Amino acid sequence: MTVAVRVIPCLDVDAGRVVKGVNFQDLQDAGDPVELAHRYDLEGADEITFLDVSASSSDRSTTYDVVRRTAEEIFVPLTVGGGVRSTDDVDRLLRAGADKVGVNTAAIAHPALVSEIAQRFGSQVLVLSVDARRVVDGPPTASGYEVTTHGGRRGTGIDAVAWAKQAVELGAGEVLLNSMDADGTKDGFDLEMLAAVRREVAVPLIASGGAGTVEHFVQAARAGADALLAASVFHFGTMTVGDVKAALRDAGVPVR
């Protein structure tokens, strides 16, 4: 049975507002998260992802109030990430209305957190968020990609492909693979990195970073992505969720 590809608008939230930049720099205001989530729900988004982009770097908890108000406005699954450090954080987000929770920085520091969350809430709740980039400086990794933290500002030297595989073995139910090199550039998803992770994990793989045209979404689906995530192209009206789904259908890619 062929799985239908999901289209997921992403809300990068900083201090209660949606922001978007290039490579996580020069952030621009893109609107109110509750209003945008409602709009994308009406446009036919399969899910909404809400990332508190400053939660880990500024060492504060995710904005539960905005999560709660967003969850009340939409009828599709809501994934929330940013600043999740414990199973209690996951519990609070689920109670605030999140359907799934993304973990990144804390899981790198404490891989056992992945198992703890999966055992307490089930793997279907846990999305491993991997902010990866090609290794240019520093020691090479086997795959050529490394994991970064703090919005791509810190390299870890950890092989991104090996980390995704390890986290799935520990219980992650999905992998959100964000190319820090492509993020916000609109030059296309990192298809080589997607394919490299696809070969190693069997769970749903979400492509993120670099969407600029509807053809980019088609390319990512063909590279093995089960879901396609984007932000600025939706926020600033370059295209709609419907445009992306139409292009996928025309290319013979099953969509919901």
Side-chain angles (χ1 to χ4, degrees):
M1 179 177 148
T2 306
V3 178
V5 170
R6 291 169 284 151
V7 178
I8 308 175
C10 181
L11 308 176
D12 294 319
V13 180
D14 185 10
R17 298 288 294 177
V18 176
V19 295
K20 197 60 201 163
V22 178
N23 307 127
F24 277 72
Q25 304 294 317
D26 302 320
L27 299 179
Q28 290 177 271
D29 186 281
D32 176 73
V34 181
E35 291 174 7
L36 281 173
H38 180 64
R39 186 178 100 198
Y40 296 140
D41 187 16
L42 294 177
E43 282 184 8
D46 297 302
E47 296 181 16
I48 304 286
T49 291
F50 177 114
L51 296 178
D52 192 334
V53 296
S54 56
S56 291
S57 56
S58 61
D59 197 38
R60 62 175 176 75
S61 296
T62 306
T63 316
Y64 295 104
D65 175 57
V66 183
V67 172
R68 190 173 291 107
R69 289 188 291 117
T70 302
E72 288 170 355
E73 282 292 324
I74 63 175
F75 297 94
V76 293
L78 175 64
T79 299
V80 181
V84 176
R85 299 179 185 87
S86 67
T87 55
D88 287 343
D89 288 340
V90 175
D91 186 58
R92 279 193 288 270
L93 284 170
L94 295 175
R95 290 176 189 276
D99 298 284
K100 293 186 272 190
V101 175
V103 295
N104 183 345
T105 305
I108 295 163
H110 306 288
L113 178 63
V114 175
S115 298
E116 291 165 12
I117 294 170
Q119 287 165 13
R120 182 169 168 186
F121 304 102
S123 290
Q124 77 283 351
V125 161
L126 180 56
V127 180
L128 179 80
S129 184
V130 182
D131 291 339
R133 68 183 179 199
R134 291 170 186 262
V135 178
V136 179
D137 309 321
T141 63
S143 69
Y145 301 99
E146 75 166 330
V147 176
T148 69
T149 62
H150 298 78
R153 290 186 288 278
R154 295 186 196 173
T156 63
I158 297 169
D159 188 298
V161 177
W163 168 233
K165 182 181 180 182
Q166 179 190 354
V168 168
E169 290 168 353
L170 290 170
E174 290 188 68
V175 174
L176 168 53
L177 183 65
N178 187 32
S179 167
M180 303 310 292
D181 299 316
D183 182 79
T185 64
K186 301 184 184 175
D187 293 333
F189 295 96
D190 189 328
L191 303 178
E192 290 178 10
M193 184 166 72
L194 267 175
V197 174
R198 176 76 291 165
R199 286 191 291 270
E200 297 297 331
V201 304
V203 300
L205 177 61
I206 307 165
S208 171
T213 68
V214 290
E215 181 59 28
H216 289 154
F217 290 88
V218 175
Q219 291 168 354
R222 287 176 171 160
D226 301 284
L228 308 164
L229 181 145
S232 52
V233 290
F234 295 140
H235 301 338
F236 300 122
T238 309
M239 65 188 74
T240 66
V241 171
D243 294 335
V244 173
K245 289 193 170 187
L248 290 166
R249 281 192 200 97
D250 289 346
V253 177
V255 294
R256 294 187 180 185

mmCIF file of all heavy atoms in Angstrom, residues 145 177 189-200 205-208 216 219-221 223-228:
data_model
loop_
_atom_site.group_PDB
_atom_site.id
_atom_site.type_symbol
_atom_site.label_atom_id
_atom_site.label_comp_id
_atom_site.label_asym_id
_atom_site.label_seq_id
_atom_site.Cartn_x
_atom_site.Cartn_y
_atom_site.Cartn_z
ATOM 1 N N TYR A 145 27.535 14.489 6.731
ATOM 2 C CA TYR A 145 26.589 15.418 7.361
ATOM 3 C C TYR A 145 26.766 15.383 8.872
ATOM 4 O O TYR A 145 27.016 14.316 9.440
ATOM 5 C CB TYR A 145 25.145 15.042 7.019
ATOM 6 C CG TYR A 145 24.865 15.053 5.535
ATOM 7 C CD1 TYR A 145 24.880 13.863 4.802
ATOM 8 C CD2 TYR A 145 24.602 16.241 4.860
ATOM 9 C CE1 TYR A 145 24.642 13.865 3.428
ATOM 10 C CE2 TYR A 145 24.360 16.252 3.491
ATOM 11 C CZ TYR A 145 24.386 15.066 2.788
ATOM 12 O OH TYR A 145 24.159 15.071 1.437
ATOM 13 N N LEU A 177 13.840 16.003 9.129
ATOM 14 C CA LEU A 177 15.208 16.276 8.686
ATOM 15 C C LEU A 177 15.269 17.663 8.053
ATOM 16 O O LEU A 177 14.738 17.879 6.967
ATOM 17 C CB LEU A 177 15.642 15.209 7.683
ATOM 18 C CG LEU A 177 17.079 15.304 7.174
ATOM 19 C CD1 LEU A 177 18.073 15.073 8.305
ATOM 20 C CD2 LEU A 177 17.302 14.297 6.046
ATOM 21 N N PHE A 189 15.221 21.255 -1.588
ATOM 22 C CA PHE A 189 15.591 20.398 -0.463
ATOM 23 C C PHE A 189 16.939 19.730 -0.744
ATOM 24 O O PHE A 189 17.339 19.590 -1.905
ATOM 25 C CB PHE A 189 14.531 19.309 -0.267
ATOM 26 C CG PHE A 189 13.174 19.814 0.142
ATOM 27 C CD1 PHE A 189 12.180 20.042 -0.805
ATOM 28 C CD2 PHE A 189 12.874 20.057 1.479
ATOM 29 C CE1 PHE A 189 10.918 20.490 -0.426
ATOM 30 C CE2 PHE A 189 11.620 20.503 1.861
ATOM 31 C CZ PHE A 189 10.635 20.729 0.913
ATOM 32 N N ASP A 190 17.633 19.314 0.307
ATOM 33 C CA ASP A 190 18.890 18.576 0.134
ATOM 34 C C ASP A 190 18.528 17.118 -0.151
ATOM 35 O O ASP A 190 18.329 16.312 0.761
ATOM 36 C CB ASP A 190 19.755 18.689 1.397
ATOM 37 C CG ASP A 190 21.159 18.133 1.191
ATOM 38 O OD1 ASP A 190 21.305 17.183 0.400
ATOM 39 O OD2 ASP A 190 22.100 18.662 1.808
ATOM 40 N N LEU A 191 18.434 16.787 -1.433
ATOM 41 C CA LEU A 191 17.945 15.472 -1.848
ATOM 42 C C LEU A 191 18.924 14.360 -1.489
ATOM 43 O O LEU A 191 18.513 13.243 -1.156
ATOM 44 C CB LEU A 191 17.665 15.464 -3.351
ATOM 45 C CG LEU A 191 16.674 16.530 -3.834
ATOM 46 C CD1 LEU A 191 16.509 16.446 -5.349
ATOM 47 C CD2 LEU A 191 15.321 16.387 -3.146
ATOM 48 N N GLU A 192 20.224 14.658 -1.550
ATOM 49 C CA GLU A 192 21.219 13.640 -1.203
ATOM 50 C C GLU A 192 21.119 13.264 0.275
ATOM 51 O O GLU A 192 21.206 12.089 0.640
ATOM 52 C CB GLU A 192 22.624 14.151 -1.520
ATOM 53 C CG GLU A 192 22.915 14.277 -3.005
ATOM 54 C CD GLU A 192 24.316 14.827 -3.264
ATOM 55 O OE1 GLU A 192 25.118 14.918 -2.300
ATOM 56 O OE2 GLU A 192 24.604 15.159 -4.418
ATOM 57 N N MET A 193 20.943 14.272 1.112
ATOM 58 C CA MET A 193 20.835 14.003 2.548
ATOM 59 C C MET A 193 19.552 13.224 2.843
ATOM 60 O O MET A 193 19.552 12.285 3.659
ATOM 61 C CB MET A 193 20.877 15.312 3.342
ATOM 62 C CG MET A 193 20.876 15.102 4.844
ATOM 63 S SD MET A 193 21.331 16.599 5.761
ATOM 64 C CE MET A 193 19.864 17.605 5.512
ATOM 65 N N LEU A 194 18.460 13.610 2.197
ATOM 66 C CA LEU A 194 17.191 12.889 2.367
ATOM 67 C C LEU A 194 17.354 11.414 2.010
ATOM 68 O O LEU A 194 16.937 10.531 2.762
ATOM 69 C CB LEU A 194 16.128 13.491 1.452
ATOM 70 C CG LEU A 194 15.211 14.575 1.986
ATOM 71 C CD1 LEU A 194 14.345 15.091 0.845
ATOM 72 C CD2 LEU A 194 14.354 14.059 3.127
ATOM 73 N N ALA A 195 17.965 11.171 0.866
ATOM 74 C CA ALA A 195 18.135 9.792 0.404
ATOM 75 C C ALA A 195 19.029 8.998 1.355
ATOM 76 O O ALA A 195 18.789 7.806 1.609
ATOM 77 C CB ALA A 195 18.715 9.780 -1.012
ATOM 78 N N ALA A 196 20.059 9.667 1.900
ATOM 79 C CA ALA A 196 20.977 8.989 2.824
ATOM 80 C C ALA A 196 20.254 8.554 4.096
ATOM 81 O O ALA A 196 20.458 7.437 4.590
ATOM 82 C CB ALA A 196 22.141 9.911 3.168
ATOM 83 N N VAL A 197 19.388 9.418 4.630
ATOM 84 C CA VAL A 197 18.629 9.064 5.835
ATOM 85 C C VAL A 197 17.559 8.030 5.500
ATOM 86 O O VAL A 197 17.328 7.084 6.264
ATOM 87 C CB VAL A 197 18.019 10.320 6.483
ATOM 88 C CG1 VAL A 197 17.114 9.946 7.656
ATOM 89 C CG2 VAL A 197 19.123 11.261 6.966
ATOM 90 N N ARG A 198 16.924 8.187 4.337
ATOM 91 C CA ARG A 198 15.876 7.237 3.923
ATOM 92 C C ARG A 198 16.394 5.805 3.898
ATOM 93 O O ARG A 198 15.669 4.863 4.258
ATOM 94 C CB ARG A 198 15.366 7.631 2.537
ATOM 95 C CG ARG A 198 14.340 6.710 1.909
ATOM 96 C CD ARG A 198 12.948 6.857 2.491
ATOM 97 N NE ARG A 198 12.824 6.374 3.859
ATOM 98 C CZ ARG A 198 11.786 6.661 4.648
ATOM 99 N NH1 ARG A 198 10.809 7.442 4.240
ATOM 100 N NH2 ARG A 198 11.729 6.183 5.864
ATOM 101 N N ARG A 199 17.648 5.641 3.461
ATOM 102 C CA ARG A 199 18.221 4.288 3.391
ATOM 103 C C ARG A 199 18.372 3.647 4.768
ATOM 104 O O ARG A 199 18.421 2.425 4.890
ATOM 105 C CB ARG A 199 19.587 4.332 2.691
ATOM 106 C CG ARG A 199 19.511 4.547 1.189
ATOM 107 C CD ARG A 199 20.857 4.316 0.519
ATOM 108 N NE ARG A 199 21.838 5.335 0.847
ATOM 109 C CZ ARG A 199 22.013 6.464 0.145
ATOM 110 N NH1 ARG A 199 21.249 6.721 -0.907
ATOM 111 N NH2 ARG A 199 22.941 7.329 0.493
ATOM 112 N N GLU A 200 18.443 4.471 5.818
ATOM 113 C CA GLU A 200 18.752 3.959 7.156
ATOM 114 C C GLU A 200 17.556 3.882 8.099
ATOM 115 O O GLU A 200 17.638 3.231 9.135
ATOM 116 C CB GLU A 200 19.843 4.820 7.804
ATOM 117 C CG GLU A 200 21.173 4.796 7.074
ATOM 118 C CD GLU A 200 21.814 3.417 7.050
ATOM 119 O OE1 GLU A 200 21.579 2.636 7.986
ATOM 120 O OE2 GLU A 200 22.539 3.121 6.081
ATOM 121 N N LEU A 205 9.617 9.964 7.228
ATOM 122 C CA LEU A 205 10.686 10.949 7.102
ATOM 123 C C LEU A 205 10.110 12.243 6.547
ATOM 124 O O LEU A 205 9.479 12.236 5.476
ATOM 125 C CB LEU A 205 11.779 10.406 6.170
ATOM 126 C CG LEU A 205 12.955 11.319 5.847
ATOM 127 C CD1 LEU A 205 13.723 11.686 7.112
ATOM 128 C CD2 LEU A 205 13.891 10.633 4.837
ATOM 129 N N ILE A 206 10.307 13.330 7.286
ATOM 130 C CA ILE A 206 9.790 14.643 6.900
ATOM 131 C C ILE A 206 10.931 15.483 6.348
ATOM 132 O O ILE A 206 11.938 15.692 7.027
ATOM 133 C CB ILE A 206 9.158 15.364 8.111
ATOM 134 C CG1 ILE A 206 8.116 14.482 8.790
ATOM 135 C CG2 ILE A 206 8.547 16.704 7.690
ATOM 136 C CD1 ILE A 206 7.715 14.957 10.187
ATOM 137 N N ALA A 207 10.786 15.964 5.122
ATOM 138 C CA ALA A 207 11.804 16.813 4.501
ATOM 139 C C ALA A 207 11.547 18.268 4.860
ATOM 140 O O ALA A 207 10.416 18.745 4.780
ATOM 141 C CB ALA A 207 11.769 16.646 2.983
ATOM 142 N N SER A 208 12.610 18.979 5.226
ATOM 143 C CA SER A 208 12.480 20.382 5.609
ATOM 144 C C SER A 208 13.710 21.153 5.169
ATOM 145 O O SER A 208 14.827 20.649 5.226
ATOM 146 C CB SER A 208 12.314 20.483 7.131
ATOM 147 O OG SER A 208 12.400 21.818 7.565
ATOM 148 N N HIS A 216 10.197 21.451 -6.284
ATOM 149 C CA HIS A 216 11.072 21.022 -5.191
ATOM 150 C C HIS A 216 10.363 19.996 -4.292
ATOM 151 O O HIS A 216 10.988 19.051 -3.806
ATOM 152 C CB HIS A 216 11.496 22.224 -4.342
ATOM 153 C CG HIS A 216 12.456 23.146 -5.040
ATOM 154 N ND1 HIS A 216 12.570 24.483 -4.723
ATOM 155 C CD2 HIS A 216 13.338 22.914 -6.046
ATOM 156 C CE1 HIS A 216 13.487 25.034 -5.502
ATOM 157 N NE2 HIS A 216 13.965 24.107 -6.308
ATOM 158 N N GLN A 219 10.370 16.644 -6.068
ATOM 159 C CA GLN A 219 11.708 16.038 -5.997
ATOM 160 C C GLN A 219 11.944 15.384 -4.637
ATOM 161 O O GLN A 219 12.497 14.273 -4.557
ATOM 162 C CB GLN A 219 12.775 17.100 -6.247
ATOM 163 C CG GLN A 219 12.802 17.631 -7.673
ATOM 164 C CD GLN A 219 13.656 18.886 -7.818
ATOM 165 O OE1 GLN A 219 14.155 19.431 -6.824
ATOM 166 N NE2 GLN A 219 13.830 19.349 -9.044
ATOM 167 N N ALA A 220 11.531 16.063 -3.563
ATOM 168 C CA ALA A 220 11.746 15.517 -2.218
ATOM 169 C C ALA A 220 10.918 14.261 -1.995
ATOM 170 O O ALA A 220 11.384 13.295 -1.375
ATOM 171 C CB ALA A 220 11.418 16.570 -1.168
ATOM 172 N N ALA A 221 9.696 14.257 -2.504
ATOM 173 C CA ALA A 221 8.856 13.059 -2.376
ATOM 174 C C ALA A 221 9.509 11.886 -3.112
ATOM 175 O O ALA A 221 9.538 10.761 -2.603
ATOM 176 C CB ALA A 221 7.460 13.328 -2.920
ATOM 177 N N ALA A 223 12.620 11.503 -3.609
ATOM 178 C CA ALA A 223 13.857 11.134 -2.906
ATOM 179 C C ALA A 223 13.575 10.299 -1.658
ATOM 180 O O ALA A 223 14.513 9.855 -0.990
ATOM 181 C CB ALA A 223 14.643 12.383 -2.528
ATOM 182 N N GLY A 224 12.291 10.119 -1.332
ATOM 183 C CA GLY A 224 11.948 9.247 -0.217
ATOM 184 C C GLY A 224 11.242 9.884 0.954
ATOM 185 O O GLY A 224 10.982 9.232 1.964
ATOM 186 N N ALA A 225 10.905 11.188 0.851
ATOM 187 C CA ALA A 225 10.213 11.850 1.954
ATOM 188 C C ALA A 225 8.753 11.412 2.023
ATOM 189 O O ALA A 225 8.079 11.316 0.995
ATOM 190 C CB ALA A 225 10.287 13.364 1.794
ATOM 191 N N ASP A 226 8.276 11.153 3.228
ATOM 192 C CA ASP A 226 6.868 10.805 3.449
ATOM 193 C C ASP A 226 6.030 12.046 3.712
ATOM 194 O O ASP A 226 4.803 12.013 3.582
ATOM 195 C CB ASP A 226 6.740 9.880 4.666
ATOM 196 C CG ASP A 226 7.533 8.597 4.490
ATOM 197 O OD1 ASP A 226 7.065 7.731 3.735
ATOM 198 O OD2 ASP A 226 8.618 8.485 5.082
ATOM 199 N N ALA A 227 6.698 13.114 4.106
ATOM 200 C CA ALA A 227 6.008 14.374 4.381
ATOM 201 C C ALA A 227 6.924 15.517 3.978
ATOM 202 O O ALA A 227 8.153 15.387 4.003
ATOM 203 C CB ALA A 227 5.635 14.480 5.862
ATOM 204 N N LEU A 228 6.326 16.650 3.593
ATOM 205 C CA LEU A 228 7.066 17.786 3.052
ATOM 206 C C LEU A 228 6.701 19.018 3.852
ATOM 207 O O LEU A 228 5.537 19.414 3.903
ATOM 208 C CB LEU A 228 6.701 17.974 1.582
ATOM 209 C CG LEU A 228 6.830 16.691 0.744
ATOM 210 C CD1 LEU A 228 6.091 16.834 -0.575
ATOM 211 C CD2 LEU A 228 8.293 16.352 0.507
#
